[in-house]
Amino acid sequence: TALASSWTYADLKFSVTWDPAIFSGPFSGRVVVYLSSRSKEAREAPNWFNPEPMYSAKFKSVRAGAAMVIAESNAVGYPGRLSTLKAGDYWVQAVVDRNLGGRTIGYSPGNLVSEPVRLHLDLADAKAVDLRCTRVNVEGPFKDTKYCREASVASKLLSKWYGRPTRIRGAVCLPDAYFAEPTRRFPVLYVVPGFGGNHRSFSGRTSAAQPVGDEPFIRVVLDPDCPTGHSVFADSDNNGPWGLALT
C-alpha cells in the first residue's frame, strides 16, 4: 500500500506561472507552494508551533508564461517529500520569491503571489495543479509624524554584496526637547529589535521619545530584516557587512 501511494503521489505536481503584466522577467530564484488546512492565505506559513506543508524548487532564467513545475523529483519540502503529503482539503498558494530583501517570503515586497485556491488533494487522484501569480506584494508607506519619521539610506556596501540596491532603514523618534531647543545637539540611541520586529511598528507614532533618566535622546529603531531572517547588524558571511554598513 505504501509503495502504491508513493507511485500515485509522484504524479502530483504544481505548475506555477506569472502574469507578464505584473513582472516582465526573467526570473531566477525560488518558488514556494504553501498548503494550509486552516488559513485561506496559505502563504502566512510557516507557523512556528504548528507548521503546515510547503514545497519549493529553484529555477533559472524563466520567462513570463513559462511553467515552473514543482514535483517529487525537484521539490524540497516540509514535513517531507511531496509523495508523503497527507490527503485532505487544503488552501494552496504559490509565491515567486524575487529575493529583494524581505524577511518573510509570503509577504516580502516585490514577490509575486497567486490567489489562494481550495483543493482536495488525495492519494487516489493525483494531478497537476496550475497556479498563476497575478499580484505583487506591496509594502505600505511609513506614516511620518511630528515625533517619528522614517530614514532610508542607500548602502553601497550592502548593494555590492547582494548584487541589488539595498538600503538601511530605521524610524527616527524625537524627544520633546528637540523642538523646544532647536540648536541643541542630542545623543542618539540605536535600537535593534528582536527577531520578527522592525522599525515599521513605529509608523504613525504620535508620542515623543522618552528620556533616559533626565537626558533626552533621539532614538533610531533599526530595521534588522534580511532574507535569512535577522541581520543583528553584524558582519556575516551569510548576511553581508551589516555592521560595517551601519557604522
Side-chain angles (χ1 to χ4, degrees):
T1 302
L3 181 61
S5 297
S6 178
W7 276 105
T8 304
Y9 241 135
D11 295 329
L12 175 63
K13 55 180 66 75
F14 301 98
S15 178
V16 181
T17 58
W18 79 83
D19 189 331
I22 63 171
F23 176 56
S24 59
F27 166 75
S28 294
R30 185 177 297 279
V31 178
V32 185
V33 174
Y34 297 94
L35 280 64
S36 177
S37 59
R38 303 188 300 267
S39 173
K40 181 177 180 179
E41 289 289 335
R43 63 187 171 134
E44 293 176 355
N47 180 289
W48 289 99
F49 304 104
N50 192 12
E52 295 193 272
M54 51 192 295
Y55 303 93
S56 74
K58 289 184 176 180
F59 302 89
K60 187 175 181 179
S61 301
V62 179
R63 298 284 179 179
M68 296 175 285
V69 178
I70 298 175
E72 173 74 6
S73 60
N74 66 347
V76 175
Y78 175 87
R81 299 179 66 87
L82 186 56
S83 58
T84 64
L85 177 65
K86 182 179 179 180
D89 295 320
Y90 296 97
W91 287 104
V92 182
Q93 194 169 27
V95 178
V96 174
D97 181 16
R98 295 179 59 205
N99 193 28
L100 299 179
R103 174 177 56 83
T104 306
I105 291 175
Y107 286 88
S108 291
N111 283 358
L112 316 181
V113 182
S114 72
E115 294 296 335
V117 293
R118 185 73 166 172
L119 297 173
H120 182 76
L121 302 178
D122 195 302
L123 290 167
D125 187 28
K127 57 186 176 181
V129 177
D130 293 325
L131 300 168
R132 186 172 180 83
C133 296
T134 57
R135 51 191 169 112
V136 182
N137 287 335
V138 178
E139 185 176 64
F142 187 98
K143 185 179 179 181
D144 287 338
T145 66
K146 174 183 177 181
Y147 288 110
C148 201
R149 309 167 191 178
E150 184 181 45
S152 179
V153 181
S155 170
K156 291 182 179 179
L157 285 171
L158 291 173
S159 297
K160 180 179 179 180
W161 195 88
Y162 281 106
R164 53 170 168 73
T166 303
R167 306 180 73 85
I168 293 178
R169 304 189 300 173
V172 180
C173 301
L174 305 172
D176 277 318
Y178 180 88
F179 302 96
E181 304 174 65
T183 61
R184 180 175 174 178
R185 294 172 66 85
F186 295 89
V188 181
L189 177 63
Y190 288 85
V191 180
V192 180
F195 182 74
N198 59 40
H199 73 302
R200 292 187 61 81
S201 62
F202 287 80
S203 175
R205 187 182 180 95
T206 56
S207 57
Q210 295 301 302
V212 178
D214 295 327
E215 183 72 24
F217 273 74
I218 294 173
R219 280 178 166 81
V220 179
V221 182
L222 296 167
D223 177 12
D225 288 349
C226 67
T228 54
H230 193 290
S231 73
V232 202
F233 280 92
D235 294 338
S236 160
D237 287 343
N238 290 326
N239 297 326
W242 281 90
L244 185 59
L246 175 63
T247 55

